[in-house]
Amino acid sequence: ADGVTRCPLCGRELDYAPGARHNGAVEIDHITPHALGGEDHIENTRPLCRRCNRARTAAIGKRRSRSVAANRVTRRAGEQAVEW
């Protein structure tokens, strides 16, 4: 162990300097995001590098958008699931 904290997703060395805004800057990730019912508890957080945290946030947003769109189709079809 080199005493360096690394991003658990990509292995990049995390930079804890206040105000750091580059790809290796540390950000707090919600393991289960707020958008999916996650809460602000220490057990639901972990440090990630800025790049991984931003990519994860974007991916969750896309999944959520598809889910909302699918629910709209189901409602328009009279509350019955539509099979394609």
Side-chain angles (χ1 to χ4, degrees):
D2 56 11
V4 172
T5 306
R6 298 193 177 277
C7 176
L9 300 184
C10 73
R12 179 188 313 262
E13 182 176 342
L14 296 175
D15 180 356
Y16 285 84
R21 300 184 74 70
H22 56 85
N23 283 340
V26 70
E27 293 188 349
I28 301 302
D29 173 53
H30 286 84
I31 298 164
T32 302
H34 288 138
L36 301 177
E39 297 184 17
D40 288 327
H41 293 290
I42 192 75
E43 298 85 14
N44 188 40
T45 62
R46 64 183 169 181
L48 291 184
C49 72
R50 181 180 175 97
R51 184 176 184 200
C52 286
N53 193 40
R54 299 299 165 104
R56 199 168 122 71
T57 299
I60 290 164
K62 286 180 186 176
R63 277 197 314 245
R64 194 158 182 250
S65 293
R66 284 193 301 262
S67 174
V68 168
N71 286 338
R72 284 190 198 123
V73 169
T74 300
R75 279 193 292 260
R76 275 188 257 137
E79 296 299 319
Q80 296 176 345
V82 177
E83 299 280 333
W84 295 94

